[in-house]
Amino acid sequence: MRTAICERLGVEFPLFAFSHCRDVVAAVTNAGGFGVLGAIAYTPEQLDTELTWIDEQVGGRPYGVDVLVPGKVDASALDGGARLAESIPERHRDFVTHLLSKYGVSGPAPVARASADELGRRVTAAGATGLVEVALKHPIGLIASALGPPPPEMVAGARAAGVPVAALVGTVEHARRQVAAGADLIVAQGTEAGGHTGEISTMVLVPQVVDAVAPVPVLAAGGIASGRQMAAAMALGAQGVWCGSVWLTTEEAETAPAVKRKLLAASSLDTVRSRSRTGKPARQLRSAWTEEWDAGQESPGPLGMPLQMLVAETAMQRIGQAAERGEPGAVELANYFVGQVVGQLDRVRPAREVVYEMVSEFGDAVERLARLSR
Ligand SMILES: Cc1cc2nc3c(=O)[nH]c(=O)nc-3n(C[C@H](O)[C@H](O)[C@H](O)COP(=O)(O)O)c2cc1C
């Protein structure tokens, strides 16, 4: 299954693993796939530490880094050095307090991992610059951006370092725009994907994007967690697949145990596209959190990005800690980004095993199809 992108990136299987966990990135890369570390949660210093660790694990095999650079954010919140946290309206603060009390979530006020200003700025082009600079000092094989075109500084830096740029898209128009902005590789991500996602399914989106941006290579994302799904994506014209949800229930993933249990028990009906965690539509596990924000009578409605991220991140830390203590209300509220493939995830496996099973099932599926056409 060597495609042109395998040659270009020097990877054995065109199976890309998006993960926020360095252990998953290293395990997939060492198994012959291509791990991509999501950098959003890190400061530049922390990212440097994570990438140094990965470099030590992967013995020169290629891996990548992904940053979020939204085309549109609630810029007013970032202007004039205003403290981001102070821009959260009273109604929204009160609603969170009300939710935590309604669901009996105990514990001290959460300590934000990043200061409010840091978090807000990290999801802007300016904020991502520090992460990109750090990433390009490591021997990475790809740098990816999501939620908007890669900024010119990112493209220029990557070009100078000889690193290809990938961009995630949910429509044909976005794909054309990203290529015009300098993307070397497009990840066409369907609505069934976990995380920020559009409205078009992978089956419909991928062939349209492949045709629109040819000869630029396209990876398919969204709804791919098995070899059969991988074969289908390649049949649509993709040169490889980019998976996120399937790694959340692997041994290496740092997914909180209470959330991991919910993921393993969930069906494909248990996800929802909601603005309640980040301010932009993102597919996640349906929980009391999404229900209360999206349909609750007292809900003030989610804020934009990045303010809603801040509201949700601080509350979710407290909810997560309470869920680990087994508090039932916190377990009801707890959720995480995940796609519709969650219904296929029913056991914990090493990431390496996921790679080998997908590759083996891909081979079987292709042979079965080949027999059909004889
Ligand atoms: C927990 C989680 C977090 C994600 N965060 C990001 C992110 O920060 N940046 C990004 O480009 N994509 C992110 N994504 C989307 C993935 O890169 C990928 O496109 C998606 O998971 C593919 O669909 P799948 O979930 O059906 O495998 C995230 C996905 C998940 C499941």
Side-chain angles (χ1 to χ4, degrees), residues 22-358:
R22 65 183 191 179
D23 299 77
V24 171
V25 171
V28 171
T29 301
N30 283 330
F34 193 102
V36 180
L37 186 74
I40 172 80
Y42 301 116
T43 62
E45 296 71 32
Q46 288 165 338
L47 181 64
D48 196 36
T49 306
E50 300 299 291
L51 298 185
T52 302
W53 183 88
I54 294 174
D55 293 340
E56 286 163 7
Q57 305 299 312
V58 300
R61 289 182 192 84
Y63 70 93
V65 172
D66 174 285
V67 290
L68 280 185
V69 191
K72 289 188 201 120
V73 289
D74 188 353
S76 63
L78 301 173
D79 282 349
R83 300 288 306 168
L84 192 58
E86 286 159 17
S87 313
I88 298 170
E90 208 56 43
R91 264 181 86 205
H92 290 77
R93 290 173 194 279
D94 291 348
F95 184 60
V96 172
T97 308
H98 158 74
L99 274 188
L100 295 180
S101 136
K102 177 173 171 184
Y103 286 86
V105 178
S106 66
V111 181
R113 257 187 301 162
S115 80
D117 284 323
E118 254 178 42
L119 181 69
R121 289 194 169 78
R122 228 184 286 153
V123 295
T124 61
T129 304
L131 296 174
V132 171
E133 279 171 8
V134 166
L136 291 174
K137 287 194 184 121
H138 289 263
I140 58 169
L142 186 73
I143 188 145
S145 78
L147 293 184
E153 312 82 58
M154 175 171 160
V155 175
R159 291 265 182 285
V163 173
V165 176
L168 274 77
V169 306
T171 66
V172 169
E173 292 67 34
H174 288 163
R176 289 204 180 98
R177 217 181 298 156
Q178 315 292 48
V179 169
D184 304 296
L185 173 64
I186 293 294
V187 181
Q189 188 203 250
T191 187
E192 50 275 69
H196 293 108
T197 183
E199 292 176 275
I200 306 170
S201 71
T202 302
M203 185 71 129
V204 172
L205 180 69
V206 171
Q208 288 185 41
V209 171
V210 166
D211 291 348
V213 302
V216 173
V218 174
L219 303 178
I224 302 164
S226 74
R228 280 177 289 170
Q229 287 160 329
M230 183 170 182
M234 310 284 272
L236 296 175
Q239 287 203 15
V241 294
W242 174 286
C243 310
S245 296
V246 71
W247 315 110
L248 295 174
T249 51
T250 57
E251 268 175 29
E252 292 84 349
E254 288 160 13
T255 315
V259 170
K260 221 178 212 179
R261 282 193 290 277
K262 286 183 91 165
L263 296 178
L264 291 168
S267 85
S268 291
L269 281 174
D270 294 327
T271 73
V272 62
R273 206 168 150 264
S274 165
R275 291 178 49 228
S276 63
R277 275 199 76 143
T278 70
K280 287 186 188 284
R283 189 170 298 285
Q284 54 201 279
L285 208 52
R286 189 193 302 278
S287 79
W289 176 269
T290 58
E291 299 285 288
E292 292 280 3
W293 276 98
D294 296 338
Q297 282 190 342
E298 289 137 298
S299 171
L303 297 162
M305 181 183 267
L307 286 183
Q308 186 68 19
M309 270 173 112
L310 193 58
V311 170
E313 168 140 344
T314 42
M316 276 298 170
Q317 282 178 36
R318 182 157 154 194
I319 291 166
Q321 286 158 7
E324 294 316 322
R325 290 193 296 271
E327 291 181 22
V331 174
E332 270 186 76
L333 286 166
N335 85 339
Y336 199 46
F337 305 106
V338 73
Q340 291 177 343
V341 294
V342 71
Q344 295 168 226
L345 310 178
D346 53 9
R347 67 202 159 94
V348 175
R349 292 174 287 169
R352 178 186 68 250
E353 201 176 301
V354 174
V355 173
Y356 294 155
E357 280 183 19
M358 281 183 73

